[in-house]
Amino acid sequence: MARIAVIGAGMGALTAAARLAVAGHRVVVYERTETYGGAVRRFERDGFAFDTGPGLLPLPAVWRDLFVKTGKEPLEDRVELVQVDPSARHVFADGAEVALPNASRAGVVAALEESLGAGAGKRWGDFLVRAREAWDRTRRPLLEEPLWADWSVLGEREPYPSVPHKRLLRTRRAGTLAEVGAWELRDDRLAALLESHALAYGLDPRVTPASAAVLPYMEHAFGMWYVRGGMRELARAVYERCVARRVEFVFGAEVTRVLEKDGRAAGVELSGGAGSGEGTVAEADFVLAPGGFPGLAPRARDEVPPQAGLPSRLTVLLALRGGRPEGAAHRTVVHTDDREGELESLFGAAPGTPARPTVTVLRPDDPALVPDSGHEAVAVSCAVPAGADVPADAVERLIDIAGRAVPGLRDRVLWSEVRTPADIAAETGAAGGAVPAPALAAAGGRLLHPSNSTGLEGLFTVGGWSHPGGGLPHAGMSGALVSGLIVEGPEFRGSQ
């Protein structure tokens, strides 16, 4: 039995802790805040409740696997999963709208054909076939295995099978997501639909590799899910699984450094309280830290360029008078009418809050989130630069844009709560409140994350800022990979 110290109680860390405890190890989690879940938090006021982190769950199989492997119990015995249908409603700049059925390629093709005109559905359906090929090529080496020393193969090879395209008397193939939209989808609205999947993770579609096609593919193939009571219920269930497996939690404990002895990790040092002098030392045989933790030394042979410049999120939580209309979409994406302006504001030389951003509106059909049936809880969000000071008029613009998804929205507002990048930074510790993106192949390795093993024996990284990146499914995969590397050793090759 090894002693394992885990720094932080994010979802990836919780996953690793539960799996390691089941394997017979003594696991202690040190969390600098007073609660668990990382970015998966909840805000409550006056009988209203809101998720302040992820609002939907793609690829729930990752979490089903966790509960089976740590207790032979279905995830559905601990939380109520609801498949969201439609998966999303999209409102485009020209006024066109489409509701996309959940996990149904044929249904999506038919909906696009009816709403956007002849040929639109077929082009999107053909794109999904190519996206599936990219998924099949990258799923195991990118998501289900540790990042090995030959990571450059993933960084250099574009797995998306682009369609040859005649351009200026030359045959070209799309190398970025924006080029896929322009050359293969050939419809501004389909391109906006595609690019919204990149923007949801703070990625610039103009430079994001075409392999990001796997993001919409995951949604269409595996569906989008909601956890009844809010996504915080998933964090609660995972935390309770850890407690049931005798993982120890120490909240309000900030780790200042990883201890080293004889060339390997030997524990952690905790900050001392007021007037307490030097910090407390907790010895351990293995240490798990979030990616980017100060003092981490990646191995030179498999170091990858760290993701940098990723935006944050601005979210406005709205308590509304009047009940949720029957049939309202859980998620509506209102697309910008100023694509270049939005992208320059987020990714240009002088970043700032976009004047007319792409906005996501979440309207859960969940009585647990409202005081009674005569009220509705709505969350409105968009990407903003990390560390940005959000001007007051940006919030007003966000509410105005969301009014395209929720008629009469402004007249229904009882009160609002604004969540800025500073709030995300306080909860997660990420600089500027940046939100990590999933790992993606190609782009010279820019969208890979550092490997879970590090230059110090016995020290591993886990969570959104390490392999395989951000997003709830990827966090769960990260925890599974780290536990496998500790339990089975450096030759671990992922689950079969």
Side-chain angles (χ1 to χ4, degrees), residues 267-305:
V268 297
E269 182 175 87
L270 308 173
S271 62
S276 64
E278 294 184 1
T280 302
V281 168
E283 295 182 350
D285 302 300
F286 296 93
V287 176
L288 276 57
F293 187 79
L296 292 182
R299 295 181 297 182
R301 67 184 179 90
D302 62 359
E303 183 175 2
V304 301

Side-chain angles (χ1 to χ4, degrees), residues 117-135:
K122 182 180 186 306
R123 288 195 298 277
W124 185 261
D126 292 343
F127 158 74
L128 288 179
V129 172
R130 296 189 293 275
R132 176 178 180 174
E133 188 169 338
W135 169 261

Side-chain angles (χ1 to χ4, degrees), residues 229-272:
M231 296 303 300
R232 178 68 176 175
E233 289 298 294
L234 177 64
R236 176 195 56 76
V238 177
Y239 167 72
E240 290 179 352
R241 174 51 51 89
C242 288
V243 171
R245 297 301 172 261
R246 299 190 178 181
V247 174
E248 181 182 348
F249 286 84
V250 184
F251 293 106
E254 183 173 8
V255 174
T256 54
R257 69 186 181 101
V258 175
L259 303 178
E260 179 181 348
K261 183 179 180 181
D262 299 330
R264 65 168 292 124
V268 297
E269 182 175 87
L270 308 173
S271 62

Side-chain angles (χ1 to χ4, degrees), residues 317-321 399 408-416:
L317 311 176
L318 298 171
L320 305 183
R321 62 173 61 88
I399 295 174
L409 174 63
R410 189 172 287 280
D411 292 337
R412 296 177 57 198
V413 175
L414 290 170
W415 51 262
S416 63

